[in-house]
Amino acid sequence: MLRGRIRRGREAYVADDDPLDAAQERRVRAVLALGGVPQADLPDGVQQVRLRLLERAASGQEAPRDVSAWAAVVASNLAMDWHRAKRRQERLGERLAALRPAEAPSEEENSVLSLAVARGLDGLPDAQRQVVVLRFYADLPVRTVAEQLGVPEGTVKSRLHAAVRALRARLHEDEVV
């Protein structure tokens, strides 16, 4: 439950009230749309702003002096986050496209390769498997992997190097590549 009230103009709201009035919601939608967020994603953006305002109140933080301005800034940040995520997806798509051979392998070849990689991952020590999955499957930068695991970046790099070397040897040994 909310601990107190958040000021909205001259009135306040309690837990049952919507933290954004109609004018503030329109402003948030406009900021998101002008920030390049597609129409289909606008309702989610508005809900994110509401959620952040409610979380702020629930954590006991003081209410923003001007909820409308605060909501607009949050909406602007959400729009930037949307663009960053879109660019990440595009870069990932480009990286994956660059890895594809000119001739697409058959489903059978893909299945054999997928099984061989899965077996190879199963054969790795837990620490090596963890960094491979976080780095290459979750597409996290080495620095983020190191921070999340609480180890130095050099440790992550050495584990990745050893894991890739072991996987490569395993795939050659199984004559998959």
Side-chain angles (χ1 to χ4, degrees):
M1 200 50 62
L2 293 177
R3 295 181 192 156
R5 299 169 174 260
I6 295 181
R7 297 212 169 273
R8 180 177 16 154
R10 293 185 182 159
E11 58 189 84
Y13 78 92
V14 290
D16 296 336
D17 292 335
D18 187 344
L20 296 176
D21 63 28
Q24 292 165 336
E25 182 176 336
R26 282 191 304 275
R27 186 175 191 186
V28 166
R29 283 180 175 276
V31 169
L32 289 168
L34 290 171
V37 176
Q39 281 293 118
D41 293 338
L42 292 181
D44 289 339
V46 172
Q47 286 300 89
Q48 281 292 318
V49 172
R50 276 191 181 99
L51 177 63
R52 290 186 186 179
L53 189 56
L54 290 170
E55 286 173 339
R56 181 182 174 113
S59 70
Q61 291 181 355
E62 191 174 314
R65 287 186 186 184
D66 184 351
V67 174
S68 186
W70 181 90
V73 170
V74 171
S76 176
N77 290 337
L78 287 171
M80 287 190 303
D81 291 345
W82 183 87
H83 284 289
R84 286 184 192 120
K86 182 180 174 191
R87 280 195 302 270
R88 265 194 312 271
Q89 287 297 324
E90 289 170 353
R91 284 193 311 265
L92 179 60
E94 291 168 3
R95 286 172 55 196
L96 289 173
L99 294 174
R100 288 190 191 124
E103 258 182 51
S106 68
E107 283 187 39
E108 184 178 328
E109 290 171 330
N110 276 338
S111 296
V112 168
L113 183 59
S114 294
L115 286 172
V117 170
R119 274 192 233 115
L121 283 172
D122 285 344
L124 293 175
D126 291 341
Q128 290 179 4
R129 181 176 47 253
Q130 185 178 34
V131 295
V132 166
V133 169
L134 291 173
R135 176 65 187 101
F136 298 117
Y137 288 92
D139 197 33
L140 297 177
V142 170
R143 174 176 288 158
T144 303
V145 173
E147 290 169 358
Q148 294 300 315
L149 297 179
V151 299
E153 285 183 50
T155 301
V156 172
K157 290 176 183 178
S158 67
R159 288 177 184 173
L160 280 171
H161 178 75
V164 168
R165 188 177 58 225
L167 279 172
R168 185 177 295 127
R170 173 75 187 251
L171 293 176
H172 283 293
E173 182 181 294
D174 292 347
E175 297 179 357
V176 176
V177 291

